[in-house]
Amino acid sequence: MNDDTTGACPQRHGDREEIARLLPAPADWDLPREQYLRHRDLLMHHIDHEQVARPRPARRLLRPAVLAPATALALACAVTAGIALTGGDSAPTGTASHRAATDMQPAAALLARISDATETRVGLTVRDDQFVYTREKTRGADLTSGKAVLSPLMDREVWAAQEPGPLRKLGLIREDGETFPINAELGDPEGTPAGINRPTYRWLSSLPTDPDKLLTYLYAETPQADGRERDQAVFEQIGSLLGGVMPPRTAAALYRAAAKIPGVTPAPHARDAIGRKGLGIARDDTRYGIRTEWVFGEKDFAFLGSRSYLTKDAPYGKAGTLLSSAAELEHAVVDEAGRQPTDAERTQTKRQS
């Protein structure tokens, strides 16, 4: 991929710092780290769009914990309204908290079946100069007013560059009729390399396939906010990797690793964003009162999508309020960002939406 995007100029950094300084003090309620990052990055997307007409989408746009509303400006207002989070860096290595759980045998059995089915699938050859294409339906909660207001379903297409990097231009995203580049993450002036926040096919292939070793790696590498439940953060990190073009052995190992996280349970009534009912796997974030669910096909165990919703009343919604949902529609490997895949390039049968 031709990496010709220039880095942010000092003036833009100064403008961002000035905007951050002018924001009011945060309120006394908070959101999980993944949701905070979504709002922060979309605020930067809006700033970039206003300054240089080259918007920056949120990082990891495939399956965020809370999906974007229709406009970045609305989310900028939500940040201004004072959605707070206590920040934190990556957890120290060697502190993995995973352990044998005595209350999750049904979930472990289901994940074992999903893993076995996944491992038998035929893998792909994905070159570093290609792009992994994903098409999905998404919707998410707009928190601008201080209450969760669910957006309509939106079409989203992503072309993710597979070069190891570091890259300043990570691909393209087309959402709600608008196409714009995916730029390097904030804090990566020299570009973002392949890794846990930009999982290329080659990087995914390099992960351990032993579930215990993989889980130890994920506990060490998953970012964590102060006070964030560690097991939930790792569960959601695994969820952010699911559904795209992935080596079958890696996907199988991720499912087996998830089965070892305490608190993981079956979700009999799980549905994706377009209403497809399937086999569900879930975990509750007890601190924030949010349940995250993964949905799998009942016959082929393919990953269909995900959703998250409140399990207890919060300042921005009542228990049961949907915060986000996504439905995977198709995937492909293509040679050029922005180009629709041919039938021969599609790795999954197009699903009716």
Side-chain angles (χ1 to χ4, degrees), residues 84-233:
L85 179 80
T86 52
D89 297 323
S90 299
T93 58
T95 60
S97 67
H98 60 279
R99 56 200 177 277
T102 60
D103 61 346
M104 57 178 294
Q105 286 87 351
L110 176 55
L111 283 165
R113 292 169 63 197
I114 294 170
S115 178
D116 290 343
T118 301
E119 200 164 26
T120 62
R121 295 184 180 125
V122 178
L124 296 174
T125 299
V126 182
R127 301 193 313 267
D128 290 348
D129 63 341
Q130 292 182 304
F131 295 82
V132 167
Y133 169 83
T134 300
R135 185 173 73 86
E136 60 186 356
K137 290 275 192 179
T138 66
R139 68 189 312 184
D142 181 349
L143 305 180
T144 306
S145 65
K147 298 294 182 181
V149 179
L150 197 63
S151 71
L153 274 173
M154 292 190 296
D155 291 307
R156 174 182 289 160
E157 297 172 280
V158 176
W159 291 264
Q162 297 300 294
E163 287 189 28
L167 298 179
R168 292 183 179 139
K169 187 175 180 181
L170 311 182
L172 289 178
I173 180 170
R174 182 174 296 148
E175 186 175 59
D176 200 26
E178 181 184 9
T179 302
F180 45 86
I182 304 174
N183 296 324
E185 292 188 29
L186 297 175
D188 292 343
E190 301 303 319
T192 300
I196 200 165
N197 290 329
R198 188 172 77 84
T200 62
Y201 192 91
R202 182 183 292 273
W203 178 84
L204 290 164
S205 300
S206 72
L207 293 177
T209 54
D210 176 87
D212 290 310
K213 292 180 179 178
L214 178 56
L215 201 57
T216 296
Y217 173 84
L218 292 171
Y219 271 87
E221 296 298 321
T222 297
Q224 177 179 318
D226 295 339
R228 181 81 162 118
E229 189 178 320
R230 193 67 180 142
D231 294 329
Q232 184 71 18

Side-chain angles (χ1 to χ4, degrees), residues 35 38-39 42 63-71 74-75 137-144 147-156 175 273 306-309 316 321-327:
Q35 299 179 31
R38 180 75 181 178
H39 287 254
L42 280 167
R63 274 162 299 283
V66 166
L67 300 171
T71 66
L75 276 177
K137 290 275 192 179
T138 66
R139 68 189 312 184
D142 181 349
L143 305 180
T144 306
K147 298 294 182 181
V149 179
L150 197 63
S151 71
L153 274 173
M154 292 190 296
D155 291 307
R156 174 182 289 160
E175 186 175 59
S306 61
R307 68 173 180 172
S308 65
Y309 56 91
Y316 49 93
T321 298
L322 184 66
L323 298 177
S324 70
S325 62

